[in-house]
Amino acid sequence: MAMAGCSGGGESCQATQVVGAGGEMDGEAMRRFAVRAALTGRGLSYAVVSIVGPQGSGKSTLLNHLFGTSFTEMDALKGRSQTTKGIWIAKAVGIEPFTVVMDLEGTDGRERGEDNTAFERQSALFALAVSDIVMINLWCHDIGREHAANRPMLKTIFEVLMRLFSPRKTTLLLVIRDKTKTPLEYLTQALKEDIQKIWDAIRKPEVYKEAALSEFFNVDVTALPSYEEKEELFKEQVGQLRQRFIHSIAPGGLAADRRGVIPASGFCLSALQIWNVIRENKDLNLPAHKVMVATVRCEEIADEELRRFMSDKGWLELETAVNYGLVPGFGNKLNVIIDFYLSEYDTEAMYFDEDVRTAKRQQLQSEILKHAYPAFKTMIEHLHNVVLNKYESDLEQSLRSGGGFAASARHCVQSSMAEFDAGLRDSLVKHAEWDATKVRSKLELHVEAHAASVRGTKLTELKANYEKKLLDALAGPVLSMLETGERDSWASIRRLYRRETESAISAFSASLSEFELDQTTLHKMIIELREHARSIVEEKAREEAGSVLMRMKERFSTVLSRDKDSMPRTWTGNEDVRAITREARLAALRLLCAVVAIRLDDKPDKIDRALTTALLDGGPLSQKRSVEFTCVPLASSAWEEVEPKDTLITPVQCKSIWKHFNTQTEYAVAQAISTQETHRRSHNWLPPAWTILLLTILGFNEFMFLLRNPLYLLWLFITFIVSYAVWLQYDIPTYFRHGTMSGILTILSRSLPTIMESITAIVNMSHNQKHSSHPLRHRSPLHAQNFMNQTRQQAQLQYQALDSLSSSSSVDSNSDNES
């Protein structure tokens, strides 16, 4: 037996061949290894690691980098040939616990000939029987292949292992070499599914018939990059994998449970006995040569037909056309192409083993369908979009034509799904069991979502329409009723609210019938509409409450300044200002009473009485009456029998508002009283009695003087006549419009002619009275009146001339100033 030596990290290691190429185990070489490596003194603190896999897959290279061993590696420059023959064993360097590493001869080697599989299965079964960890080395591109992934070998090993030995739990570490871009989780899932299928398919002893794979094996998967192309990355990841073998037998370590482990001193004897049992078992030589040939040849034929399909002109055209939209007859066209290549396979493989031929045909069909599935998926997506767009268009057209929403939506859904099902049948391939349930469900969801969206939009529009009708029907009238401030304002508002709300709800319910809503949704929408109507009333009430002080002042001013016929009131002195003021304040108070709370419910309250008693009546009487409401009038922050949410103005706020109202309306009352007093004084011609008495006492001498001198009386009479004539003929206030001096000069310039004319008129009147008859004496007033009219007209003409003169002079002066 050969040995190879190495040294690294201060620790020597040697690789020893314990099973030769002929299949005979060298027990003496095994014992020498155990002695040199000091294995016998380890007790149970050791682990056994072995590796199996195809020839030339880099098993020895991996072990050397992973454990620091010295197994012989293949020289790629000398060609691919068998390097490891038989079974070699070595000690891992720098790893605790003590780890025994076994390198097995590669599978699929051409050197052993047709019956090479017997030794492969014997060595693999030996590795499973004695190892805690079995590394299965396989190429990434071989995953999914029948023999390249060691599936037949594992199946046989599992069956024989359970029949020959008492199984113990072993870790199967699948090492994927030359990993591609395929994610590791996908590869892991595929490998574990394959091993599970192998386990489920084997014939188990009765005692283990229902046993699960996890009871005997821990399956783990790792992946490494290419050693030749990415050497540095390979070494880095191997270093990471090495850490998993440290303390591998500890709880939770890489090694499985240690049931039935043999002490280190008996390891060599146990291994020799196990190998002899495996060699004597005839059932291990199961696969025949013809099966292997059929497997390889049928796989070659299937690969060739798959390549031809992928480059087929008809398929490429069909695949391209699908990317641009629906392809009528897609399923039939693809069926013809697939049938052609399956028929070509059947012709080439008809003379090989039937089981192998059938299996490879199914594999070819599966690969073709796998390659064609993306085109089918794209086709279904196009069909989904076309049907969905048509549904949206049909539903919109149906609604425009006046159809009910629920009936239109139901009809369009039925026709759309029928169209989708017809298109799906046209796209299906008879060889595949492709499931389009998800796409159909997706279409149903999209159709329902669009219908829900349209329904939501229509319902929103319908609801908004009725909300606007309620706004038009309630907002103006409610505001008007609140502004009137009548005692029955809220009773009128309640009647209006109930009438309009019930009318709107009745029409709204009738409109909702076409949507076929469930009772819960229907009830909810009706409640929302009713609440909207209430909110309109509440909003208007709050608006009015916010401007109540201004409304009260306006109402007070209107009642105070206008009579019952809405005519402006004239304060002549006969009006009862106190009564009118109380009436105006009562009208203002009614406005306040109407907006202090929202009273849409028929609950009685004492708000009006409380406010009237506390604010309008005043005095001790109101204080006595207010006892039935509160201890202190309007000292509460809430109204009795009124919920806080319905309170707009609290009693305390009412008191404050009324105080401001009285303050701001006192001036109007005072002005009315002053106007009345002024009017009364202006219409009283006689002075007060004390004034008359005083004038009589103080003016007695002057009165006697006038009686003794009658000429003074004549002079006073003439002076009065002249002054009165001047006053009648001239507009004295107008003369002073342009200034005091201008007015005096104007009067003086016109006084003399007027006096002369007046004296002449008086003389003429006296002369005419002496010489005229009795009837003619009645014309003198007419003549005097004509004289007065003529005099007034002349005065007006003179004043207009003077006025125009003064205006032109003022214009000229302004022009001079501007220039």
Side-chain angles (χ1 to χ4, degrees), residues 496-511:
L496 174 68
Y497 163 74
R498 290 166 183 168
R499 183 179 68 252
E500 296 298 335
T501 302
E502 294 304 324
S503 175
I505 287 176
S506 176
F508 186 57
S509 300
S511 300

Side-chain angles (χ1 to χ4, degrees), residues 310-412:
M310 294 176 63
S311 60
D312 184 83
K313 182 178 179 182
W315 158 246
L316 293 177
E317 291 177 353
L318 185 62
E319 185 179 31
T320 302
V322 166
N323 292 328
Y324 293 97
L326 289 176
V327 178
F330 173 84
N332 291 332
K333 294 177 181 178
L334 187 55
N335 281 330
V336 171
I337 298 174
I338 294 176
D339 287 342
F340 173 77
Y341 289 104
L342 291 178
S343 176
E344 289 291 310
Y345 169 85
D346 292 337
T347 302
E348 292 290 331
M350 62 183 301
Y351 297 107
F352 292 101
D353 182 81
E354 182 178 359
D355 292 338
V356 176
R357 183 177 73 242
T358 303
K360 293 302 176 182
R361 188 184 192 278
Q362 292 176 351
Q363 183 177 346
L364 171 62
Q365 179 176 304
S366 177
E367 289 295 326
I368 292 176
L369 293 176
K370 181 180 178 181
H371 189 74
Y373 180 74
F376 170 77
K377 187 177 180 180
T378 303
M379 178 73 178
I380 298 303
E381 290 295 332
H382 286 318
L383 181 61
H384 166 275
N385 294 334
V386 169
V387 172
L388 180 60
N389 292 335
K390 188 175 184 298
Y391 167 78
E392 295 175 357
S393 176
D394 291 347
L395 179 59
E396 181 179 0
Q397 185 64 31
S398 178
L399 294 177
R400 285 181 178 177
S401 61
F405 178 83
S408 299
R410 186 165 48 249
H411 173 73
C412 293

Side-chain angles (χ1 to χ4, degrees), residues 670-687:
Q671 191 177 26
I673 295 174
S674 176
T675 303
Q676 190 178 52
E677 185 65 24
T678 301
H679 186 275
R680 185 182 295 113
R681 291 176 181 177
S682 64
H683 287 76
N684 189 1
W685 292 93
L686 294 177

Side-chain angles (χ1 to χ4, degrees), residues 539-659:
E539 180 182 359
K540 293 304 173 183
R542 294 183 191 278
E543 289 180 7
E544 194 65 17
S547 58
V548 65
L549 181 57
M550 180 186 69
R551 299 289 188 189
M552 291 170 63
K553 291 189 294 183
E554 291 176 354
R555 178 58 57 84
F556 178 85
S557 176
T558 300
V559 176
L560 185 67
S561 62
R562 294 182 177 273
D563 57 18
K564 296 181 180 180
D565 297 328
S566 298
M567 297 298 294
R569 194 186 300 276
T570 302
W571 301 103
T572 63
N574 298 324
E575 296 83 1
D576 187 351
V577 177
R578 182 180 299 277
I580 294 174
T581 301
R582 177 180 175 81
E583 181 183 357
R585 286 178 177 170
L586 179 60
L589 183 61
R590 287 174 181 170
L591 282 178
L592 180 61
C593 293
V595 298
V596 295
I598 298 171
R599 287 171 275 187
L600 281 177
D601 302 323
D602 289 326
K603 296 180 180 179
D605 58 68
K606 303 176 182 178
I607 295 177
D608 293 0
R609 186 176 179 185
L611 289 175
T612 303
T613 302
L615 300 179
L616 189 62
D617 291 347
L621 179 60
S622 67
Q623 295 178 3
K624 292 179 181 179
R625 292 178 179 175
S626 65
V627 173
E628 62 178 295
F629 302 105
T630 57
C631 296
V632 180
L634 304 183
S636 174
S637 60
W639 297 103
E640 296 180 6
E641 301 176 353
V642 176
E643 297 182 6
K645 67 181 182 65
D646 293 333
T647 300
L648 302 179
I649 304 175
T650 63
V652 175
Q653 291 172 337
C654 287
K655 188 174 182 181
S656 177
I657 291 173
W658 188 255
K659 181 178 179 181

Side-chain angles (χ1 to χ4, degrees), residues 350-524:
M350 62 183 301
Y351 297 107
F352 292 101
D353 182 81
E354 182 178 359
D355 292 338
V356 176
R357 183 177 73 242
T358 303
K360 293 302 176 182
R361 188 184 192 278
Q362 292 176 351
Q363 183 177 346
L364 171 62
Q365 179 176 304
S366 177
E367 289 295 326
I368 292 176
L369 293 176
K370 181 180 178 181
H371 189 74
Y373 180 74
F376 170 77
K377 187 177 180 180
T378 303
M379 178 73 178
I380 298 303
E381 290 295 332
H382 286 318
L383 181 61
H384 166 275
N385 294 334
V386 169
V387 172
L388 180 60
N389 292 335
K390 188 175 184 298
Y391 167 78
E392 295 175 357
S393 176
D394 291 347
L395 179 59
E396 181 179 0
Q397 185 64 31
S398 178
L399 294 177
R400 285 181 178 177
S401 61
F405 178 83
S408 299
R410 186 165 48 249
H411 173 73
C412 293
V413 167
Q414 293 174 354
S415 61
S416 298
M417 297 312 298
E419 183 178 354
F420 178 82
D421 293 337
L424 180 61
R425 288 192 297 270
D426 187 58
S427 303
L428 288 176
V429 178
K430 65 180 180 180
H431 303 283
E433 295 181 356
W434 290 332
D435 186 12
T437 304
K438 291 184 178 180
V439 180
R440 195 179 193 279
S441 300
K442 180 181 176 182
L443 176 62
E444 290 177 345
L445 290 176
H446 286 176
V447 166
E448 292 176 359
H450 180 72
S453 176
V454 175
R455 180 173 59 247
T457 302
K458 295 294 183 182
L459 288 175
T460 301
E461 293 176 354
L462 184 64
K463 182 181 178 183
N465 183 31
Y466 278 93
E467 287 178 350
K468 185 178 183 303
K469 289 182 179 180
L470 280 174
L471 180 64
D472 296 339
L474 293 176
V478 167
L479 192 60
S480 177
M481 292 176 186
L482 291 174
E483 289 177 351
T484 58
E486 299 296 335
R487 292 183 181 275
D488 61 343
S489 294
W490 277 105
S492 301
I493 291 174
R494 284 194 293 270
R495 289 193 296 271
L496 174 68
Y497 163 74
R498 290 166 183 168
R499 183 179 68 252
E500 296 298 335
T501 302
E502 294 304 324
S503 175
I505 287 176
S506 176
F508 186 57
S509 300
S511 300
L512 290 178
S513 61
E514 69 173 85
F515 294 91
E516 298 181 4
L517 301 174
D518 58 273
Q519 290 300 318
T520 302
T521 304
L522 181 63
H523 183 63
K524 179 181 178 182

